[in-house]
Amino acid sequence: MNNKPAYLRGKGQGRGRGRGHTSGGVGSGDAQRWEPQNGTTLVSLKPGLPVPGTSWSTWKTPSPITTDKTEVKDNIDAFAKASSRHQEALKRHLQDFADDAESDEEDVADKVIENIFKSYSTNYDEDEDSQDDISKAQELLLHSFRSGASACLICIDNIKREDVIWTCQGCYCMLHLQCIQKWVREGVYQQQYQADLSTGTTDSGFPWFCPKCRHEYKQIECPTHSYCFCGKVCDPKFDPWLIPHSCGQTCGRGLKPSCGHSCLLNCHPGPCPPCPKMVQASCHCGKSVPIPRRCNARSWACGKICGRTLSCGQHSCEDICHPGECKPCSKSSMQPCSCGKKKASRPCASPQWHCEQMCGRRLSCGNHLCEKICHSGQCGSCPRSGIRKCPCKKTEYELPCTEDILTCGDTCGQLLQCGIHTCTQRCHQGSCGQCLQLTLKRCRCGQSQKEVLCSKEYLCEKKCTNQRDCGKHQCKRKCCDGHCPCCEQTCGKTLGCRNHKCLSRCHRGPCYPCRETKDITCFCKATKITVPCGKEKVTKPPRCNLPCKKPPDCHHPERQKHRCHFGECPPCSQVCRNKLPACQHTCPALCHDVVKVKVEDKTKKEGPWEGRRTSYIETVRKPCPPCQVPTPIECMGKHEITNFPCSGVQQYSCGKKCERQLACSNHTCQLECHVVTGAPDSRQAGENCEPCESQCQKPRPEGCTHACLQSCHPGNCPPCTTMVRMRCHCQAVVKHISCHEWLEAGPERQNSLKSCGGPCPKLMTCGHQCPNICHHGPCVDQKKCEKKVIIRCACKRKKKDLRCSERQDDEQLQCDEICEKIQTEKKEAQEEERRKKEEEEARKQAAELEEFERHIKGRRKKPRRQKEEVAEASFGEKHQRKILFFVFVVALVGFAVYIFSM
């Protein structure tokens, strides 16, 4: 029976068909041909299966198979998923194998480094500083052992242990020998090419530089062989138990800074560690006794005052023992100027100063004074003494310094700045000036010529079309002489690192490698290696021996100590000791903050080839288990005590009656055992006990007819607050007074309570209102009325103020002579006013009568002749004015003509 699935069987296989069936089937022993999509033809080793190493999705379905397309597609997808899972498993296996190889490599490196530093630790004393230096050197050596950690900056390829290398003396970087030789040839060629273009000369002394640190080398220093790091052995052979590219001998190079000792490490890459040898060293100031210290740290400060005399010679250094020269003196003193004419307070650190006055001392000639500004030393000889020449240098004179040199009168003849013509002026003072002769000059590019001044350069306007040294851009310089300048544009191409662009000037050929470096660190950033830019993506991080610094992901302050690593830390195995949320106890279980739980995959199977269901790991935080510590608990009514587990502690009722005395002190609580709050002791009821609902039956005070409104209560009843309704003394207001207040008050107090507080509305016999407030009994007598009363005379001129109690019945003032005189004057004034009004009325009536008569008669008209005479007189006056105006205009025009004609 054929157990192959349908997508692996042809038409001729299964379902009763024979091996040699003529319907297109393929025999089981024949090799089946498959056609990939790219057009090539491959033959599989087994019928129905593709060549190993190719995925099912890249192959076409063979022509003999005539299965349903939907079924074939589903089967192909399922097989592709299964194949991808196998590929992932294979990658994980290869990764584990690479990690094992790396760990073996690091173990070998540890043994080699231990052997190298054996002589270092036995010859020198070890202290904390020396251990730091040793650890730095060990880190460099580990870096050289790691595969792929070092890369050539020129070809950007890894430097293998068997490769032939060259090491820079400045930065100690390693490069392939062939790469550095090519670097030197191309660099020298570029410099020689540029020199030939600019000067046309050949020079063999061009230097070359390190690609990383730009350290300068001569051409004769171009490497031809590979040497070990210490330079003793040429072309060292690879030894797996030695440092790669090392000879294994003692380094022997002089330590830096130079101290006279040499490095005792085996031949190693990178700089030598500082000298750790112990020597007797004095402090900076030399006051303390020399003590033994490491050679590289022989300089030390004793902490005492320096005390050395400063440069001013007056003060001493007040700083603590320090290296180097003392600081300039910070104090001030009186210092003379350079010529000694003035003195001023100046800082001791700068005693030399100038007063900005002319020296004024007489020179050796005795005729002139020194014209220099304030200076020190001798003034020198007189500048006008000795043999002097005329301005054109043709005639010499020996004259006293008091006489000036005159011009000789000859032609100047000095060569001008053009270098061709001479000055045609007579001997003169000052410069000769520019050449003004016209000369036929050819431009710088040689394409045109023109007659211009000899002192000026002729440049044409044609632009150069030659390519610059980059071979991409034209020169475009006007009137170029053929030596086109270097291209000044930036290259901008992406470098091999794929992170940066070329910042050099535009150039031919490939760009220089990226000079940047990247640091690859471990997880804690304490251990790092430096690789060329672009290699950080393929270089593995270094192995760190320091403890892991990851913060704990649980509640504990620190993790259990283990080495720095990538990925997850081991699970915490400390006791939880967390305070449980519902009690004061701590959790006794192991830490359960980060617990990995296996979770089964519940997805539906896609086919029988998937096998069992897969599972995955999920991190969860488990809660603390319930607390089981036994705890005694008292019932809610505090009748009995029972033990419960701490996690199950809760309030419970014992089922008995409360039996606490209620607040009324007459009854007890009849509820079942319950929580009691606010009780002063265990015998009295609390706030949540059953309240007493009986009515108060205690007797009331004498005179009170109201019942107590409270329920049963202890002690005396509260005062009766029922309001009693009654009217005030004056019967104007109804008042409400509490019952207990009215009963406790006496007669006087009751009178005041009954009073409304307003004025009494009753009237006295005199007619005035009672001055008292609402009161009990009769009002005040009239004889005690204090109201003010005004009495007047008959004419109302005289008046008098009296009290109501002092006034007599029908009392009135008598008029005097003044009153009578005033009455008489008043009557006379009234009579005069009446007379004036009558006269005015008569005058108005006469005027109205006259107006009426004039209206009836009408106006008289003037004679017509008189009107004509007036009109003729007015016409003559107007005609005379026109004639005068015309004469005036004619005279003005004539005067204007006369003025303009002159």
Side-chain angles (χ1 to χ4, degrees):
M1 181 176 179
N2 194 352
N3 295 326
K4 293 182 180 180
Y7 64 87
L8 296 181
R9 295 197 302 265
K11 271 191 175 181
Q13 297 179 353
R15 298 189 179 182
R17 294 184 182 273
R19 294 180 58 185
H21 201 272
T22 59
S23 61
V26 181
S28 61
D30 298 335
Q32 186 169 351
R33 184 177 301 273
W34 296 82
E35 297 180 359
Q37 294 180 0
N38 56 5
T40 59
T41 303
L42 298 177
V43 178
S44 65
L45 302 178
K46 195 172 184 179
L49 292 176
V51 177
T54 60
S55 61
W56 187 271
S57 59
T58 58
W59 297 88
K60 293 182 179 179
T61 307
S63 56
I65 298 178
T66 59
T67 322
D68 186 17
K69 293 183 179 180
T70 305
E71 182 181 2
V72 171
K73 183 177 180 181
D74 295 341
N75 294 335
I76 290 175
D77 294 341
F79 184 83
K81 292 181 181 179
S83 177
S84 63
R85 286 198 292 271
H86 289 310
Q87 293 293 336
E88 292 177 358
L90 179 61
K91 288 181 181 178
R92 288 196 297 271
H93 174 72
L94 295 177
Q95 181 66 27
D96 295 340
F97 179 78
D99 294 341
D100 295 340
E102 182 180 358
S103 61
D104 296 340
E105 180 181 307
E106 291 182 352
D107 294 339
V108 173
D110 293 339
K111 293 180 181 179
V112 174
I113 292 172
E114 182 180 358
N115 186 26
I116 291 174
F117 282 88
K118 187 175 181 181
S119 61
Y120 192 93
S121 59
T122 55
N123 282 276
Y124 293 131
D125 296 336
E126 294 185 2
D127 56 2
E128 185 176 357
D129 296 337
S130 62
Q131 288 297 331
D132 295 339
D133 298 335
I134 292 174
S135 62
K136 292 179 182 178
Q138 289 176 347
E139 183 179 349
L140 290 173
L141 295 178
L142 281 173
H143 176 74
S144 64
F145 266 97
R146 293 188 180 94
S147 299
S150 299
C152 179
L153 296 180
I154 299 177
C155 64
I156 316 299
D157 194 6
N158 292 334
I159 297 179
K160 301 180 181 179
R161 300 181 181 182
E162 298 85 359
D163 291 345
V164 181
I165 66 166
W166 171 83
T167 306
C168 177
Q169 299 177 3
C171 60
Y172 303 99
C173 71
M174 292 185 292
L175 306 170
H176 291 120
L177 182 64
Q178 296 179 352
C179 294
I180 192 62
Q181 290 175 349
K182 183 179 179 182
W183 174 275
V184 174
R185 289 195 300 269
E186 292 181 354
V188 172
Y189 172 76
Q190 290 288 342
Q191 297 183 57
Q192 182 65 47
Y193 177 75
Q194 294 179 3
D196 294 344
L197 290 178
S198 58
T199 60
T201 58
T202 302
D203 189 4
S204 60
F206 292 109
W208 57 278
F209 304 91
C210 171
K212 183 178 180 180
C213 66
R214 311 303 297 171
H215 184 75
E216 184 177 346
Y217 294 92
K218 297 179 181 179
Q219 290 189 25
I220 59 175
E221 295 177 350
C222 178
T224 56
H225 295 279
S226 175
Y227 287 88
C228 62
F229 298 112
C230 64
K232 295 178 182 178
V233 179
C234 179
D235 298 330
K237 296 182 179 180
F238 171 71
D239 189 343
W241 294 101
L242 293 177
I243 301 175
H245 318 293
S246 171
C247 62
Q249 304 179 19
T250 303
C251 178
R253 288 181 289 183
L255 298 177
K256 295 180 181 180
S258 180
C259 61
H261 304 118
S262 59
C263 179
L264 294 182
L265 294 178
N266 289 348
C267 183
H268 61 89
C272 298
C275 182
K277 190 173 182 180
M278 302 300 292
V279 296
Q280 294 291 330
S282 300
C283 64
H284 300 300
C285 64
K287 291 183 178 181
S288 300
V289 179
I291 60 175
R293 289 182 62 84
R294 293 178 67 241
C295 182
N296 68 316
R298 63 176 63 193
S299 298
W300 60 285
C302 62
K304 300 179 182 179
I305 300 299
C306 178
R308 286 183 285 189
T309 303
L310 299 176
S311 58
C312 64
Q314 300 178 11
H315 308 102
S316 58
C317 181
E318 298 178 355
D319 294 339
I320 303 299
C321 179
H322 59 87
E325 298 293 335
C326 297
K327 296 180 180 179
C329 183
S330 59
K331 298 182 179 180
S332 300
S333 61
M334 297 299 295
Q335 302 288 346
C337 65
S338 299
C339 64
K341 291 183 178 180
K342 291 185 179 182
K343 284 187 176 183
S345 178
R346 300 278 300 174
C348 292
S350 56
Q352 298 292 334
W353 66 285
H354 303 283
C355 63
E356 298 183 357
Q357 292 185 3
M358 191 174 63
C359 176
R361 286 183 286 186
R362 193 167 294 280
L363 299 177
S364 58
C365 65
N367 298 322
H368 301 96
L369 301 178
C370 180
E371 297 179 355
K372 297 179 181 178
I373 303 300
C374 176
H375 64 89
S376 58
Q378 298 295 330
C379 296
S381 59
C382 181
R384 298 167 62 89
S385 60
I387 299 176
R388 292 178 288 171
K389 293 183 179 180
C390 67
C392 66
K393 310 299 181 183
K394 294 181 179 179
T395 307
E396 294 182 353
Y397 298 94
E398 186 173 0
L399 297 174
C401 62
T402 56
E403 297 182 9
D404 296 331
I405 296 296
L406 302 176
T407 56
C408 63
D410 196 358
T411 302
C412 178
Q414 295 186 23
L415 192 64
L416 298 176
Q417 293 180 357
C418 63
I420 302 175
H421 307 100
T422 57
C423 180
T424 57
Q425 301 179 14
R426 291 184 178 274
C427 180
H428 58 87
Q429 300 288 346
S431 60
C432 296
Q434 297 182 351
C435 183
L436 301 178
Q437 296 190 27
L438 294 177
T439 306
L440 185 63
K441 285 190 174 183
R442 185 173 293 276
C443 67
R444 186 167 54 188
C445 64
Q447 298 185 19
S448 60
Q449 59 182 3
K450 185 180 180 181
E451 191 175 36
V452 295
L453 292 177
C454 182
S455 59
K456 294 185 179 180
E457 183 182 5
Y458 172 56
L459 299 176
C460 67
E461 296 296 326
K462 295 182 180 180
K463 293 184 179 180
C464 179
T465 58
N466 295 334
Q467 296 288 335
R468 296 200 177 187
D469 56 346
C470 63
K472 301 177 182 179
H473 305 102
Q474 290 184 349
C475 178
K476 296 295 183 182
R477 189 174 67 161
K478 290 184 179 181
C479 193
C480 181
D481 57 355
H483 299 288
C484 301
C486 299
C487 186
E488 297 178 354
Q489 300 187 27
T490 304
C491 178
K493 293 181 181 178
T494 303
L495 299 178
C497 65
R498 300 298 177 184
N499 296 329
H500 304 93
K501 292 186 177 181
C502 182
L503 300 179
S504 303
R505 292 186 305 177
C506 188
H507 57 83
R508 294 177 181 267
C511 301
Y512 288 120
C514 182
R515 301 176 184 176
E516 302 291 334
T517 57
K518 299 289 184 180
D519 291 338
I520 302 177
T521 61
C522 63
F523 183 80
C524 67
K525 311 298 182 183
T527 305
K528 66 178 181 179
I529 57 176
T530 303
V531 298
C533 182
K535 288 293 181 180
E536 69 274 6
K537 299 179 182 178
V538 297
T539 304
K540 294 182 179 180
R543 184 179 180 184
C544 181
N545 295 324
L546 298 177
C548 178
K549 296 182 180 179
K550 284 185 179 180
D553 49 6
C554 61
H555 66 276
H556 292 102
E558 294 182 357
R559 290 184 182 270
Q560 293 173 332
K561 293 186 178 180
H562 58 281
R563 287 200 317 175
C564 175
H565 63 92
F566 286 92
E568 297 181 355
C569 292
C572 180
S573 59
Q574 305 178 57
V575 178
C576 179
R577 300 189 185 280
N578 259 347
K579 183 180 177 182
L580 296 175
C583 62
Q584 299 297 326
H585 304 110
T586 58
C587 179
L590 295 180
C591 182
H592 46 79
D593 289 347
V594 182
V595 180
K596 293 185 177 181
V597 181
K598 186 176 181 181
V599 181
E600 294 292 338
D601 188 7
K602 297 182 180 180
T603 57
K604 185 179 179 180
K605 290 186 178 181
E606 297 179 356
W609 54 85
E610 290 191 357
R612 295 183 302 175
R613 296 183 182 273
T614 58
S615 60
Y616 59 93
I617 304 298
E618 184 178 359
T619 302
V620 297
R621 180 188 182 96
K622 290 187 175 182
C624 294
C627 183
Q628 299 297 328
V629 178
T631 305
I633 301 300
E634 192 175 13
C635 71
M636 292 185 288
K638 300 184 179 180
H639 301 124
E640 61 183 24
I641 296 176
T642 307
N643 289 331
F644 286 89
C646 184
S647 59
V649 169
Q650 59 183 355
Q651 293 181 342
Y652 75 99
S653 174
C654 63
K656 300 178 182 179
K657 290 186 178 181
C658 182
E659 294 294 341
R660 291 174 177 264
Q661 189 178 12
L662 297 178
C664 66
S665 69
N666 300 323
H667 307 90
T668 58
C669 181
Q670 297 299 315
L671 296 176
E672 187 181 349
C673 177
H674 62 91
V675 178
V676 180
T677 57
D681 53 34
S682 60
R683 296 187 302 274
Q684 296 183 2
E687 296 176 356
N688 49 357
C689 284
E690 180 184 14
C692 185
E693 298 178 354
S694 302
Q695 189 66 29
C696 179
Q697 301 296 332
K698 293 183 179 181
R700 303 299 293 165
E702 185 180 0
C704 179
T705 60
H706 309 105
C708 182
L709 300 178
Q710 295 184 356
S711 59
C712 183
H713 60 85
N716 298 327
C717 294
C720 181
T721 58
T722 303
M723 305 303 291
V724 180
R725 183 173 180 274
M726 61 183 69
R727 283 191 174 272
C728 65
H729 299 292
C730 60
Q731 303 298 316
V733 178
V734 177
K735 295 201 64 177
H736 295 81
I737 305 172
S738 60
C739 181
H740 77 279
E741 187 178 2
W742 179 260
L743 294 177
E744 292 178 358
E748 295 182 0
R749 174 65 178 162
Q750 288 180 352
N751 290 334
S752 63
L753 289 175
K754 196 174 181 182
S755 175
C756 66
C760 181
K762 298 177 183 179
L763 297 178
M764 296 184 294
T765 57
C766 64
H768 296 124
Q769 187 179 353
C770 179
N772 296 332
I773 60 174
C774 181
H775 59 88
H776 175 69
C779 295
V780 180
D781 189 9
Q782 178 184 359
K783 296 181 179 180
K784 295 182 180 180
C785 182
E786 298 293 332
K787 293 288 185 178
K788 187 176 70 170
V789 179
I790 301 174
I791 57 176
R792 297 178 182 272
C793 63
C795 66
K796 307 296 182 182
R797 186 185 71 84
K798 295 175 63 177
K799 68 178 181 176
K800 183 178 180 181
D801 296 338
L802 297 175
R803 291 182 181 178
C804 182
S805 59
E806 298 176 354
R807 180 184 177 184
Q808 297 179 4
D809 297 338
D810 299 331
E811 182 180 1
Q812 190 174 6
L813 296 179
Q814 298 295 329
C815 291
D816 56 2
E817 296 177 356
I818 298 175
C819 292
E820 295 177 357
K821 185 178 180 180
I822 291 173
Q823 290 294 332
T824 304
E825 291 178 355
K826 188 175 181 181
K827 290 180 179 180
E828 292 178 356
Q830 291 178 357
E831 186 66 25
E832 182 68 22
E833 184 69 21
R834 186 184 59 79
R835 186 180 58 79
K836 289 182 179 180
K837 286 184 179 181
E838 291 178 354
E839 293 178 355
E840 183 67 24
E841 186 68 23
R843 192 167 43 253
K844 286 183 179 181
Q845 292 178 0
E848 289 177 359
L849 181 61
E850 184 180 357
E851 181 66 24
F852 177 73
E853 293 178 353
R854 188 169 53 253
H855 179 69
I856 293 175
K857 293 181 179 180
R859 279 186 172 183
R860 290 183 179 179
K861 296 184 180 180
K862 293 182 180 181
R864 185 174 181 182
R865 184 176 180 183
Q866 186 178 359
K867 290 183 179 181
E868 293 177 358
E869 292 177 357
V870 172
E872 291 177 0
S874 60
F875 175 79
E877 292 177 358
K878 290 180 181 179
H879 186 67
Q880 186 178 3
R881 283 198 298 269
K882 289 181 180 180
I883 294 173
L884 292 174
F885 177 74
F886 179 74
V887 172
F888 174 75
V889 170
V890 172
L892 183 61
V893 171
F895 179 75
V897 172
Y898 174 75
I899 293 298
F900 281 104
S901 63
M902 295 179 66

